Amino acid sequence: MIKEYKSGTSTTQDGSDAITLPSHVAGSGTQDRLVDTARVYAHAAASDNTLKAYARDWAHFARWCRMKGAEPLPPSPEMIGLYLADLASPSDPSPALSVSTIERRLSGLAWNYAQRGFALDRKNRHIATVLAGIKRKHARPPVQKEAILRDDILAMVATLPYDLRGLRDRAILLLGYAGGLRRSEIVSLDVHKDDTPDSGGWIEIMDKGALLTLNAKTGWREVEIGRGSSDQTCPVHALEQGLHFAKKDFGPVFVSTARDGKTALDARLSDKHVARLIKQTALDARLSDKHVARLIKQTVLDAGIRSDLPEKDRIALFSGHSLRAGLVSSAEVDERYVQKHLGHASAEMTRRYQRRPDRFRVNLTKAARL
């Protein structure tokens, strides 16, 4: 746990150690336990990945300040404005950061200052005007990943073997596609509620399909995945097969496998260890949620999708989000149902996932009787 000391106080990278008893309250065993409980809840306020990103943001800013002969505390809007400018147009050989990354860095700084008892005024002119200028000069439309459509996903699934690892990967692809799930949501699933402390949700398999209860970016939501028209393409059947042959009745749904591909290990697929799908990992290696993206890219190549392009360009077109985008682009249902299924807060966010929009399905010109 990384600590930074300032005026006799310490703060961990998640800020939980900032929670203590007031100085005028005498400590006791009960109160100390309450402090520990509060720190656990404070740590749970953000995901581990977010906390790690915020810690990296602070470390980078603190190092930058030292190189400029300044201190990161207390917050100086003038220095932060200069820092943002340096991120957009570096004075050293470092690559310029995108606008979205710069905004994320600023959010990380605001969070870190809050954990240290300071308020960062992002509307201060030294920060707000610099950021507005960066957006005006450097902002670009977001680069969208190619959608994986129905025929694509079927071709990708057909490339997988029927060993334990192949069954697992088939379930990842079909469940992720049919559920419009994020990579992190796929690997965070448990077999039952409260199986593990780091669970991000659980599954219930029913006669007509599977119900996924997810604790996602936008809060708790339920995702209903119906059974498919055939066992070869049914996500629920793939999930059942994967669990059955892995002998999984407790804990994480998706785990790494042994080198021989015949034994399921206990380790959840996580972002701590990255492995390739095709090449086997060491017996004790754990795969990551990036495994889903690697799986997609490898099977895209194997299935011959967009074979008119060079291999490098084909790989760059696809990522984990291709599954979600593909569902939105392929599903011919009311937009409201797709929005609910994906857990989007707004219809506008759902439309961003639409890669093949029927732009004139709603004709407001005719609706206005013109």
Side-chain angles (χ1 to χ4, degrees):
M1 200 57 88
I2 300 172
K3 293 190 177 183
E4 176 170 327
Y5 292 92
K6 183 72 176 177
S7 301
T9 63
S10 64
T11 304
T12 61
Q13 67 179 25
D14 61 6
S16 59
D17 274 7
I19 297 176
T20 59
L21 285 172
S23 58
H24 63 276
V25 176
S28 68
T30 301
Q31 289 167 329
D32 290 343
R33 284 193 294 273
L34 284 176
V35 169
D36 291 338
T37 302
R39 287 176 177 172
V40 170
Y41 283 127
H43 179 82
S47 70
D48 287 342
N49 285 342
T50 299
L51 294 175
K52 290 175 183 176
Y54 286 166
R56 289 194 296 268
D57 292 341
W58 182 258
H60 187 273
F61 176 64
R63 184 168 58 252
W64 182 88
C65 286
R66 288 194 297 269
M67 292 175 63
K68 303 301 179 185
E71 291 291 334
L73 294 172
S76 166
E78 294 85 353
M79 289 303 296
I80 293 174
L82 294 178
Y83 175 66
L84 299 181
D86 201 22
L87 295 178
S89 299
S91 54
D92 58 24
S94 302
L97 299 184
S98 66
V99 173
S100 60
T101 302
I102 292 173
E103 289 184 307
R104 209 293 312 285
R105 287 275 179 91
L106 183 58
S107 296
L109 294 186
W111 186 90
N112 275 283
Y113 276 124
Q115 303 310 309
R116 290 161 173 81
F118 296 97
L120 177 62
D121 182 9
R122 297 178 59 165
K123 295 182 180 181
N124 183 284
R125 63 186 180 89
H126 294 286
I127 298 175
T129 55
V130 171
L131 185 59
I134 292 173
K135 289 181 179 180
R136 185 176 181 85
K137 186 173 182 178
H138 298 293
R140 297 288 184 273
V143 178
Q144 294 185 323
K145 295 296 183 181
E146 189 82 0
I148 292 175
L149 303 178
R150 176 187 175 275
D151 291 342
D152 300 332
I153 198 71
L154 296 184
M156 291 161 63
V157 168
T159 67
L160 297 172
Y162 281 88
D163 59 8
L164 190 60
R165 188 178 294 111
L167 291 172
R168 178 200 64 191
D169 292 338
R170 181 175 278 99
I172 286 175
L173 280 176
L174 290 174
L175 200 70
Y177 186 83
L181 305 178
R182 301 176 178 88
R183 292 177 298 159
S184 58
E185 292 173 342
I186 296 173
V187 299
S188 70
L189 285 169
D190 275 1
V191 179
H192 305 107
K193 181 181 179 181
D194 298 329
D195 274 0
T196 63
D198 61 341
S199 170
W202 64 91
I203 61 173
E204 296 177 70
I205 298 179
M206 308 172 183
D207 291 340
K208 294 185 178 180
L211 176 65
L212 276 54
T213 304
L214 297 167
N215 186 9
K217 291 172 62 176
T218 54
W220 286 97
R221 81 176 195 274
E222 292 183 341
V223 177
E224 300 168 357
I225 299 179
R227 292 187 181 272
S229 55
S230 71
D231 287 348
Q232 286 71 31
T233 60
C234 175
V236 182
H237 180 76
L239 177 62
E240 290 175 319
Q241 291 288 95
L243 291 173
H244 173 73
F245 286 100
K247 300 178 181 178
K248 293 290 299 179
D249 58 4
F250 181 84
V253 172
F254 297 113
V255 296
S256 56
T257 60
R259 182 187 292 272
D260 60 8
K262 298 178 181 179
T263 305
L265 304 180
D266 294 330
R268 180 194 302 276
L269 296 177
S270 73
D271 58 4
K272 294 181 180 178
H273 295 273
V274 180
R276 298 180 183 277
L277 172 64
I278 303 303
K279 297 180 180 180
Q280 295 290 344
T281 58
L283 180 63
D284 59 349
R286 291 180 294 178
L287 300 178
S288 75
D289 63 352
K290 295 178 183 177
H291 162 78
V292 180
R294 293 182 183 277
L295 165 64
I296 290 169
K297 291 180 179 180
Q298 184 60 52
T299 51
V300 160
L301 294 179
D302 292 345
I305 299 173
R306 294 303 305 270
S307 57
D308 55 306
L309 298 175
E311 181 175 306
K312 181 179 179 181
D313 294 339
R314 291 165 65 194
I315 290 177
L317 284 174
F318 300 94
S319 74
H321 258 53
S322 295
L323 294 180
R324 286 166 67 80
L327 177 72
V328 177
S329 302
S330 301
E332 297 180 357
V333 297
D334 192 293
E335 185 179 77
R336 293 172 298 171
Y337 299 111
V338 180
Q339 178 184 341
K340 177 180 180 294
H341 195 71
L342 267 65
H344 287 157
S346 66
E348 179 60 31
M349 178 58 72
T350 303
R351 294 187 193 107
R352 293 183 188 177
Y353 283 73
Q354 176 61 266
R355 301 296 190 264
R356 297 184 180 179
D358 183 358
R359 298 185 183 280
F360 302 103
R361 180 171 59 88
V362 177
N363 191 325
L364 293 182
T365 306
K366 288 185 177 180
R369 300 190 297 277
L370 295 180

